[in-house]
Protein backbone atom coordinates (compact mmCIF):
# COMPACT_ATOMS: atom_id res chain seq x y z
CA UNK A 1 0.00 0.00 0.00
CA UNK A 2 1.23 3.42 -0.94
CA UNK A 3 1.03 6.23 1.71
CA UNK A 4 1.76 9.83 1.06
CA UNK A 5 4.12 11.70 3.44
CA UNK A 6 1.25 14.11 4.27
CA UNK A 7 -0.90 11.23 5.53
CA UNK A 8 1.92 9.91 7.69
CA UNK A 9 2.35 13.28 9.39
CA UNK A 10 -1.39 13.54 10.05
CA UNK A 11 -1.38 10.10 11.62
CA UNK A 12 1.54 10.97 13.89
CA UNK A 13 -0.10 14.18 15.02
CA UNK A 14 -3.32 12.38 15.82
CA UNK A 15 -1.53 9.74 17.86
CA UNK A 16 0.29 12.41 19.83
CA UNK A 17 -2.95 14.26 20.57
CA UNK A 18 -4.51 11.07 21.88
CA UNK A 19 -1.40 10.14 23.85
CA UNK A 20 -0.99 7.08 21.65
CA UNK A 21 2.52 6.18 20.71
CA UNK A 22 3.90 9.52 21.92
CA UNK A 23 7.11 9.54 23.94
CA UNK A 24 6.83 11.36 27.30
CA UNK A 25 10.04 12.46 29.04
CA UNK A 26 9.62 12.63 32.80
CA UNK A 27 12.50 14.30 34.54
CA UNK A 28 13.19 12.90 38.00
CA UNK A 29 13.52 15.47 40.75
CA UNK A 30 16.90 15.30 42.50
CA UNK A 31 16.78 13.65 45.91
CA UNK A 32 16.65 16.10 48.83
CA UNK A 33 19.68 16.74 50.99
CA UNK A 34 19.02 15.34 54.44
CA UNK A 35 20.05 17.28 57.53
CA UNK A 36 19.61 15.64 60.92
CA UNK A 37 18.11 17.34 63.96
CA UNK A 38 18.77 16.02 67.48
CA UNK A 39 16.79 18.04 70.02
CA UNK A 40 14.54 17.44 73.06
CA UNK A 41 11.05 16.80 71.72
CA UNK A 42 9.76 15.30 74.96
CA UNK A 43 10.37 15.60 78.70
CA UNK A 44 11.46 18.71 80.56
CA UNK A 45 13.25 20.15 77.54
CA UNK A 46 10.33 19.82 75.11
CA UNK A 47 9.34 23.50 75.07
CA UNK A 48 12.89 24.60 74.34
CA UNK A 49 13.25 21.82 71.77
CA UNK A 50 10.11 22.95 69.97
CA UNK A 51 11.41 26.53 69.81
CA UNK A 52 14.80 25.34 68.58
CA UNK A 53 13.17 23.21 65.88
CA UNK A 54 11.15 26.19 64.63
CA UNK A 55 14.39 28.15 64.16
CA UNK A 56 15.77 25.36 61.96
CA UNK A 57 12.52 25.14 60.00
CA UNK A 58 12.64 28.90 59.38
CA UNK A 59 16.11 28.54 57.83
CA UNK A 60 14.98 25.49 55.84
CA UNK A 61 11.99 27.41 54.46
CA UNK A 62 14.16 30.39 53.56
CA UNK A 63 16.63 28.29 51.60
CA UNK A 64 14.11 25.92 50.00
CA UNK A 65 12.09 28.85 48.68
CA UNK A 66 15.31 30.07 47.03
CA UNK A 67 16.03 26.73 45.38
CA UNK A 68 17.53 24.74 48.23
CA UNK A 69 21.19 23.72 48.24
CA UNK A 70 22.98 22.58 45.07
CA UNK A 71 19.63 22.47 43.29
CA UNK A 72 18.21 20.10 45.90
CA UNK A 73 15.59 20.74 48.56
CA UNK A 74 16.60 20.45 52.22
CA UNK A 75 14.86 17.73 54.22
CA UNK A 76 15.02 17.62 58.03
CA UNK A 77 15.27 14.26 59.77
CA UNK A 78 14.24 14.90 63.39
CA UNK A 79 15.11 12.69 66.34
CA UNK A 80 14.26 13.23 70.02
CA UNK A 81 17.31 13.34 72.31
CA UNK A 82 14.95 13.43 75.33
CA UNK A 83 17.15 16.10 76.96
CA UNK A 84 19.53 13.33 78.09
CA UNK A 85 23.04 12.18 77.20
CA UNK A 86 21.84 8.65 76.45
CA UNK A 87 19.09 10.03 74.25
CA UNK A 88 21.58 12.15 72.31
CA UNK A 89 23.85 9.14 71.68
CA UNK A 90 20.90 7.05 70.50
CA UNK A 91 19.73 9.84 68.19
CA UNK A 92 23.22 10.31 66.71
CA UNK A 93 23.61 6.59 66.03
CA UNK A 94 20.15 6.34 64.49
CA UNK A 95 20.74 9.25 62.12
CA UNK A 96 24.14 7.90 61.09
CA UNK A 97 22.55 4.50 60.45
CA UNK A 98 20.13 6.20 58.07
CA UNK A 99 22.99 7.75 56.12
CA UNK A 100 22.64 11.29 57.49
CA UNK A 101 26.12 12.86 57.52
CA UNK A 102 25.43 16.27 59.10
CA UNK A 103 23.14 17.29 61.96
CA UNK A 104 22.16 20.11 64.27
CA UNK A 105 22.23 18.87 67.84
CA UNK A 106 23.74 18.92 71.30
CA UNK A 107 21.62 21.82 72.49
CA UNK A 108 23.06 21.43 75.98
CA UNK A 109 26.56 20.56 77.22
CA UNK A 110 25.79 17.03 78.54
CA UNK A 111 24.51 16.03 75.10
CA UNK A 112 27.56 17.53 73.40
CA UNK A 113 29.97 15.79 75.76
CA UNK A 114 28.17 12.49 75.15
CA UNK A 115 28.21 12.53 71.35
CA UNK A 116 31.52 14.28 70.57
CA UNK A 117 33.64 11.13 71.19
CA UNK A 118 31.58 8.95 68.81
CA UNK A 119 31.28 11.30 65.84
CA UNK A 120 34.51 10.10 64.20
CA UNK A 121 33.25 6.53 64.38
CA UNK A 122 29.90 7.57 62.90
CA UNK A 123 31.47 9.84 60.26
CA UNK A 124 28.88 12.46 61.16
CA UNK A 125 29.35 16.23 61.46
CA UNK A 126 27.40 18.06 64.18
CA UNK A 127 26.88 21.80 64.52
CA UNK A 128 25.73 22.58 68.07
CA UNK A 129 23.53 25.61 68.88
CA UNK A 130 24.03 26.18 72.60
CA UNK A 131 26.41 23.98 74.67
CA UNK A 132 28.89 25.98 76.74
CA UNK A 133 31.24 23.44 78.39
CA UNK A 134 34.80 24.61 77.71
CA UNK A 135 36.17 21.12 77.12
CA UNK A 136 34.12 20.66 73.94
CA UNK A 137 36.56 22.80 71.99
CA UNK A 138 39.58 21.96 74.16
CA UNK A 139 40.46 18.56 75.70
CA UNK A 140 37.34 16.88 74.24
CA UNK A 141 37.82 18.41 70.80
CA UNK A 142 36.52 16.42 67.83
CA UNK A 143 37.08 17.54 64.27
CA UNK A 144 33.47 16.49 63.57
CA UNK A 145 32.00 18.83 66.20
CA UNK A 146 31.41 22.59 65.74
CA UNK A 147 30.09 24.94 68.44
CA UNK A 148 27.97 27.72 66.88
CA UNK A 149 27.46 29.43 70.22
CA UNK A 150 29.25 31.19 73.06
CA UNK A 151 31.34 29.05 75.39
CA UNK A 152 31.28 29.33 79.19
CA UNK A 153 34.02 31.95 79.32
CA UNK A 154 32.18 34.24 76.90
CA UNK A 155 28.65 33.64 78.17
CA UNK A 156 29.02 33.43 81.95
CA UNK A 157 32.08 35.62 82.15
CA UNK A 158 30.25 38.16 80.01
CA UNK A 159 27.05 38.30 82.04
CA UNK A 160 28.99 38.21 85.31
CA UNK A 161 30.97 41.24 84.17
CA UNK A 162 27.88 43.12 82.99
CA UNK A 163 25.80 42.45 86.10
CA UNK A 164 28.60 43.26 88.54
CA UNK A 165 29.35 46.46 86.63
CA UNK A 166 25.74 47.65 86.44
CA UNK A 167 24.96 46.60 89.99
CA UNK A 168 28.26 47.48 91.59
CA UNK A 169 26.62 47.99 95.01
CA UNK A 170 25.84 44.27 95.21
CA UNK A 171 28.47 42.96 97.60
CA UNK A 172 27.87 39.24 97.21
CA UNK A 173 26.41 36.86 94.63
CA UNK A 174 24.78 33.45 95.05
CA UNK A 175 24.91 30.97 92.15
CA UNK A 176 22.83 27.86 91.49
CA UNK A 177 24.09 25.66 88.67
CA UNK A 178 23.66 22.14 87.27
CA UNK A 179 25.54 19.40 89.08
CA UNK A 180 27.73 18.67 86.07
CA UNK A 181 30.91 19.67 84.27
CA UNK A 182 29.01 22.49 82.63
CA UNK A 183 27.68 23.63 86.02
CA UNK A 184 31.20 23.97 87.36
CA UNK A 185 32.08 26.03 84.29
CA UNK A 186 29.07 28.23 85.04
CA UNK A 187 30.37 29.00 88.53
CA UNK A 188 34.01 29.39 87.52
CA UNK A 189 33.42 31.87 84.72
CA UNK A 190 30.58 33.82 86.31
CA UNK A 191 32.95 34.38 89.23
CA UNK A 192 35.67 35.40 86.76
CA UNK A 193 33.34 38.02 85.21
CA UNK A 194 32.27 39.38 88.60
CA UNK A 195 35.85 39.70 89.79
CA UNK A 196 36.88 41.37 86.56
CA UNK A 197 34.15 43.98 87.00
CA UNK A 198 35.04 44.54 90.65
CA UNK A 199 38.64 45.21 89.70
CA UNK A 200 37.45 47.96 87.33
CA UNK A 201 34.81 49.54 89.56
CA UNK A 202 36.94 49.37 92.68
CA UNK A 203 33.95 48.09 94.65
CA UNK A 204 34.65 44.77 96.37
CA UNK A 205 32.22 41.93 95.70
CA UNK A 206 32.35 38.16 95.90
CA UNK A 207 30.65 34.97 94.72
CA UNK A 208 29.73 32.80 97.69
CA UNK A 209 29.83 28.99 97.82
CA UNK A 210 27.69 27.77 94.89
CA UNK A 211 24.67 25.49 95.06
CA UNK A 212 24.56 22.58 92.62
CA UNK A 213 21.29 20.92 91.61
CA UNK A 214 19.99 18.19 89.34
CA UNK A 215 18.11 19.21 86.20
CA UNK A 216 15.56 16.45 86.72
CA UNK A 217 14.17 17.44 90.12
CA UNK A 218 10.40 17.91 90.56
CA UNK A 219 11.00 20.79 92.95
CA UNK A 220 13.76 23.01 94.29
CA UNK A 221 12.48 23.72 97.79
CA UNK A 222 15.76 22.83 99.51
CA UNK A 223 17.85 24.86 97.06
CA UNK A 224 15.47 27.84 97.30
CA UNK A 225 15.68 27.76 101.09
CA UNK A 226 19.48 27.74 100.90
CA UNK A 227 19.46 30.66 98.47
CA UNK A 228 17.08 32.65 100.67
CA UNK A 229 19.34 32.13 103.67
CA UNK A 230 22.60 32.73 101.81
CA UNK A 231 22.86 36.41 102.70
CA UNK A 232 23.74 37.23 99.09
CA UNK A 233 22.34 40.34 97.44
CA UNK A 234 22.51 39.12 93.83
CA UNK A 235 21.59 35.76 92.29
CA UNK A 236 22.70 34.02 89.12
CA UNK A 237 20.73 31.00 87.88
CA UNK A 238 22.80 28.63 85.77
CA UNK A 239 19.90 26.20 85.32
CA UNK A 240 18.20 26.50 81.93
CA UNK A 241 14.90 25.61 80.25
CA UNK A 242 12.14 24.13 82.44
CA UNK A 243 14.32 23.82 85.58
CA UNK A 244 15.03 27.58 85.51
CA UNK A 245 11.33 28.39 85.12
CA UNK A 246 10.40 25.95 87.90
CA UNK A 247 12.96 27.46 90.28
CA UNK A 248 11.63 30.98 89.72
CA UNK A 249 7.98 29.95 89.92
CA UNK A 250 8.50 27.99 93.13
CA UNK A 251 10.74 30.69 94.58
CA UNK A 252 8.17 33.41 94.00
CA UNK A 253 5.88 31.78 96.58
CA UNK A 254 8.44 32.56 99.29
CA UNK A 255 9.64 35.90 97.95
CA UNK A 256 12.76 34.80 96.09
CA UNK A 257 12.29 37.53 93.47
CA UNK A 258 12.15 40.20 96.22
CA UNK A 259 15.08 38.81 98.18
CA UNK A 260 17.72 39.72 95.60
CA UNK A 261 18.48 43.13 94.14
CA UNK A 262 19.13 41.53 90.74
CA UNK A 263 18.70 38.07 89.23
CA UNK A 264 20.68 36.82 86.23
CA UNK A 265 19.88 33.79 84.09
CA UNK A 266 21.76 31.76 81.50
CA UNK A 267 19.61 31.79 78.37
CA UNK A 268 16.03 30.65 78.99
CA UNK A 269 15.09 34.24 78.28
CA UNK A 270 11.51 34.92 77.10
CA UNK A 271 10.35 31.41 77.93
CA UNK A 272 10.54 32.56 81.56
CA UNK A 273 8.38 35.61 80.90
CA UNK A 274 5.99 33.60 78.74
CA UNK A 275 5.42 31.19 81.63
CA UNK A 276 5.32 33.76 84.44
CA UNK A 277 3.71 36.74 82.66
CA UNK A 278 3.05 39.51 85.23
CA UNK A 279 4.83 37.40 87.86
CA UNK A 280 8.15 37.70 86.03
CA UNK A 281 10.76 39.14 88.42
CA UNK A 282 11.14 42.85 87.82
CA UNK A 283 14.90 42.62 88.29
CA UNK A 284 15.63 39.79 85.82
CA UNK A 285 18.55 39.98 83.36
CA UNK A 286 19.62 37.23 81.01
CA UNK A 287 21.36 36.07 77.89
CA UNK A 288 19.50 36.67 74.65
CA UNK A 289 20.18 35.38 71.15
CA UNK A 290 17.86 37.68 69.24
CA UNK A 291 15.57 40.65 69.92
CA UNK A 292 14.06 41.62 66.55
CA UNK A 293 12.18 44.65 67.88
CA UNK A 294 15.34 46.20 69.35
CA UNK A 295 18.60 47.54 67.96
CA UNK A 296 20.97 46.43 66.57
CA UNK A 297 18.75 43.60 65.26
CA UNK A 298 15.98 45.87 64.02
CA UNK A 299 17.87 47.73 61.32
CA UNK A 300 21.48 46.53 61.09
CA UNK A 301 21.09 42.83 60.28
CA UNK A 302 19.15 41.84 57.11
CA UNK A 303 19.01 38.21 58.23
CA UNK A 304 16.99 39.31 61.29
CA UNK A 305 14.06 40.45 59.14
CA UNK A 306 14.25 37.22 57.12
CA UNK A 307 14.17 35.13 60.29
CA UNK A 308 11.16 37.05 61.59
CA UNK A 309 9.29 36.62 58.32
CA UNK A 310 9.94 32.89 58.19
CA UNK A 311 9.42 32.13 61.87
CA UNK A 312 5.92 33.61 61.54
CA UNK A 313 5.29 31.40 58.50
CA UNK A 314 6.47 28.34 60.39
CA UNK A 315 4.82 28.96 63.77
CA UNK A 316 2.33 31.78 63.41
CA UNK A 317 3.98 33.35 66.46
CA UNK A 318 4.84 37.03 66.10
CA UNK A 319 6.57 37.08 69.48
CA UNK A 320 9.06 34.18 69.35
CA UNK A 321 11.68 33.56 72.00
CA UNK A 322 15.17 34.70 71.01
CA UNK A 323 16.51 31.16 71.35
CA UNK A 324 15.13 30.33 67.90
CA UNK A 325 18.09 32.27 66.52
CA UNK A 326 20.58 29.80 68.03
CA UNK A 327 19.41 26.90 65.88
CA UNK A 328 18.67 29.17 62.90
CA UNK A 329 22.36 30.18 63.01
CA UNK A 330 23.46 26.53 63.18
CA UNK A 331 21.27 25.68 60.19
CA UNK A 332 22.67 28.61 58.18
CA UNK A 333 26.19 27.37 58.94
CA UNK A 334 25.36 23.92 57.58
CA UNK A 335 23.52 25.18 54.49
CA UNK A 336 26.36 27.57 53.60
CA UNK A 337 28.91 24.80 54.13
CA UNK A 338 26.94 22.37 51.95
CA UNK A 339 26.89 24.96 49.19
CA UNK A 340 30.66 25.43 49.44
CA UNK A 341 31.46 21.73 49.84
CA UNK A 342 29.34 20.71 46.87
CA UNK A 343 28.13 17.58 48.65
CA UNK A 344 27.23 16.23 52.11
CA UNK A 345 30.53 14.32 52.30
CA UNK A 346 31.76 14.70 55.92
CA UNK A 347 35.37 15.56 55.07
CA UNK A 348 34.28 18.16 52.52
CA UNK A 349 31.82 19.62 55.03
CA UNK A 350 34.48 19.90 57.73
CA UNK A 351 36.77 21.75 55.33
CA UNK A 352 33.91 24.10 54.39
CA UNK A 353 32.87 24.76 58.00
CA UNK A 354 36.39 25.49 59.23
CA UNK A 355 36.84 29.24 59.03
CA UNK A 356 33.34 29.73 57.58
CA UNK A 357 32.09 33.32 57.77
CA UNK A 358 28.41 34.10 57.17
CA UNK A 359 25.65 36.52 58.12
CA UNK A 360 23.11 35.69 60.81
CA UNK A 361 20.12 37.36 62.45
CA UNK A 362 22.47 38.52 65.20
CA UNK A 363 25.22 39.82 62.94
CA UNK A 364 28.35 38.48 61.21
CA UNK A 365 29.58 35.11 62.49
CA UNK A 366 32.55 32.83 61.98
CA UNK A 367 33.62 29.35 63.00
CA UNK A 368 37.25 29.42 64.09
CA UNK A 369 39.26 26.96 62.03
CA UNK A 370 41.61 25.77 64.76
CA UNK A 371 39.07 24.61 67.36
CA UNK A 372 35.63 25.06 65.72
CA UNK A 373 34.55 27.70 68.25
CA UNK A 374 31.90 30.11 66.97
CA UNK A 375 32.69 33.81 67.36
CA UNK A 376 30.32 36.72 66.85
CA UNK A 377 28.52 39.03 69.27
CA UNK A 378 27.06 38.02 72.65
CA UNK A 379 23.89 39.80 73.81
CA UNK A 380 22.36 40.33 77.23
CA UNK A 381 19.06 42.02 78.05
CA UNK A 382 16.58 42.89 80.78
CA UNK A 383 13.56 40.59 80.68
CA UNK A 384 10.20 41.80 81.90
CA UNK A 385 6.41 41.91 81.78
CA UNK A 386 4.56 44.44 79.62
CA UNK A 387 1.01 45.72 79.32
CA UNK A 388 1.13 45.40 75.52
CA UNK A 389 0.79 42.04 73.78
CA UNK A 390 2.07 39.44 74.34
CA UNK A 391 2.50 40.63 77.94
CA UNK A 392 6.27 40.32 78.10
CA UNK A 393 9.42 41.27 76.22
CA UNK A 394 13.03 42.36 76.28
CA UNK A 395 14.19 45.81 77.19
CA UNK A 396 17.66 47.29 76.85
CA UNK A 397 20.21 45.09 75.06
CA UNK A 398 23.89 45.09 76.03
CA UNK A 399 26.44 43.47 73.73
CA UNK A 400 29.96 42.07 73.89
CA UNK A 401 32.29 41.55 70.93
CA UNK A 402 33.25 37.91 71.46
CA UNK A 403 36.54 38.23 69.62
CA UNK A 404 37.73 40.53 72.44
CA UNK A 405 37.10 37.99 75.21
CA UNK A 406 37.40 34.54 73.59
CA UNK A 407 40.37 32.44 74.72
CA UNK A 408 43.16 31.27 72.36
CA UNK A 409 42.47 27.94 70.59
CA UNK A 410 43.97 24.83 72.22
CA UNK A 411 42.19 21.86 70.60
CA UNK A 412 42.98 18.61 72.40
CA UNK A 413 44.39 20.45 75.41
CA UNK A 414 42.60 21.66 78.55
CA UNK A 415 42.10 25.39 78.84
CA UNK A 416 43.76 26.58 82.05
CA UNK A 417 42.73 30.24 81.97
Amino acid sequence: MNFKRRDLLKGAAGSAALGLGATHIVRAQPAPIKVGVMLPMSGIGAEVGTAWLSGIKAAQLQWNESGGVLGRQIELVVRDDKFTSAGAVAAARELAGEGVTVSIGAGQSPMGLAIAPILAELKTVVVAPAPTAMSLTHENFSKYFFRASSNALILYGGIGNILATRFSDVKSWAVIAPDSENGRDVVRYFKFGVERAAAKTGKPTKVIEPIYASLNKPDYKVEINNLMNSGAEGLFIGLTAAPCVSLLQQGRAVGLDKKFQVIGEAGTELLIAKAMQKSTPSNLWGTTFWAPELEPFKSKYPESAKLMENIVKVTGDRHPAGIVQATHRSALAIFNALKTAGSPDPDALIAALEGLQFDTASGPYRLRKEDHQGIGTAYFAKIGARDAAPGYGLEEVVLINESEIVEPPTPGKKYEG
Side-chain angles (χ1 to χ4, degrees):
M1 190 177 289
N2 210 4
F3 292 100
K4 294 182 179 180
R5 181 174 181 272
R6 181 177 57 190
D7 296 325
L8 287 170
L9 292 173
K10 286 182 180 178
S15 296
L18 294 172
L20 303 175
T23 301
H24 293 274
I25 299 175
V26 178
R27 298 187 183 278
Q29 294 296 315
I33 289 183
K34 294 184 178 182
V35 174
V37 177
M38 302 179 288
L39 294 172
M41 296 288 103
S42 61
I44 62 172
E47 185 176 12
V48 172
T50 299
W52 274 335
L53 180 58
S54 68
I56 300 170
K57 287 182 175 180
Q60 176 197 27
L61 177 64
Q62 177 183 332
W63 276 62
N64 278 347
E65 286 185 341
S66 299
V69 178
L70 306 174
R72 299 162 64 182
Q73 292 286 283
I74 300 161
E75 177 184 329
L76 302 180
V77 184
V78 183
R79 294 293 178 269
D80 182 7
D81 71 13
K82 301 179 174 61
F83 210 56
T84 67
S85 299
V89 169
R93 290 193 179 280
E94 187 174 342
L95 287 169
E98 295 177 19
V100 178
T101 59
V102 61
S103 295
I104 300 161
Q108 299 281 291
S109 294
M111 296 76 177
L113 292 167
I115 67 170
I118 66 171
L119 295 181
E121 167 200 339
L122 300 178
K123 299 293 182 185
T124 298
V125 177
V126 169
V127 178
T132 59
M134 295 297 287
S135 68
L136 282 167
T137 48
H138 291 280
E139 65 265 36
N140 291 320
F141 172 81
S142 165
K143 75 173 187 176
Y144 291 87
F145 187 91
F146 290 79
R147 183 189 352 237
S149 68
S150 306
N151 62 23
L153 168 63
I154 296 169
L155 190 70
Y156 307 121
I159 195 168
N161 183 51
I162 286 171
L163 291 179
T165 299
R166 289 193 161 238
F167 301 91
S168 58
D169 290 335
V170 171
K171 298 181 179 64
S172 59
W173 292 85
V175 180
I176 180 168
D179 189 7
S180 63
E181 175 185 331
N182 177 57
R184 278 164 270 286
D185 276 353
V186 169
V187 175
R188 178 182 179 183
Y189 292 105
F190 180 77
K191 182 178 180 182
F192 167 79
V194 168
E195 291 174 345
R196 185 181 180 194
K200 290 182 179 179
T201 63
K203 294 186 177 182
T205 187
K206 64 179 180 179
V207 175
I208 66 173
E209 191 67 24
I211 296 171
Y212 293 104
S214 167
L215 291 177
N216 296 305
K217 297 189 66 171
D219 67 68
Y220 293 94
K221 291 185 179 68
V222 172
E223 289 82 1
I224 290 169
N225 183 63
N226 290 337
L227 290 171
M228 295 287 288
N229 293 319
S230 67
E233 299 171 343
L235 169 63
F236 183 71
I237 303 171
L239 307 177
T240 55
C244 176
V245 176
S246 294
L247 178 81
L248 286 169
Q249 287 177 324
Q250 293 168 26
R252 182 176 177 274
V254 294
L256 181 75
D257 55 328
K258 308 296 183 185
K259 182 72 174 179
F260 297 96
Q261 294 181 33
V262 58
I263 299 174
E265 66 86 27
T268 307
E269 199 224 40
L270 286 182
L271 292 181
I272 298 170
K274 182 179 179 181
M276 298 187 71
Q277 296 285 321
K278 297 292 186 181
S279 300
T280 303
S282 61
N283 53 350
L284 182 64
W285 282 75
T287 300
T288 186
F289 294 90
W290 180 53
E293 75 281 10
L294 301 177
E295 296 295 353
F297 309 94
K298 189 175 180 179
S299 65
K300 292 187 177 180
Y301 307 143
E303 283 292 337
S304 181
K306 294 177 185 177
L307 173 54
M308 190 65 196
E309 176 185 352
N310 288 303
I311 205 75
V312 172
K313 288 180 181 178
V314 167
T315 67
D317 185 0
R318 295 187 176 277
H319 305 283
I323 62 172
V324 302
Q325 199 278 135
T327 42
H328 183 263
R329 178 169 60 200
S330 296
L332 292 182
I334 289 175
F335 301 164
N336 277 290
L338 282 165
K339 182 179 178 180
T340 300
S343 83
D345 173 73
D347 289 331
L349 275 172
I350 291 169
L353 283 165
E354 288 183 336
L356 178 69
Q357 300 186 50
F358 59 105
D359 289 328
T360 76
S362 62
Y365 203 76
R366 67 184 173 96
L367 295 170
R368 191 161 59 181
K369 180 178 180 179
E370 295 87 350
D371 61 352
H372 302 176
Q373 172 62 51
I375 301 172
T377 305
Y379 299 92
F380 308 92
K382 191 173 187 297
I383 306 162
R386 291 178 179 172
D387 291 330
Y392 54 84
L394 299 180
E395 298 177 24
E396 178 188 2
V397 171
V398 182
L399 60 86
I400 290 177
N401 183 343
E402 295 184 339
S403 63
E404 295 177 357
I405 189 173
V406 68
E407 80 286 2
T410 59
K413 184 179 178 181
K414 185 175 181 179
Y415 175 60
E416 301 290 354

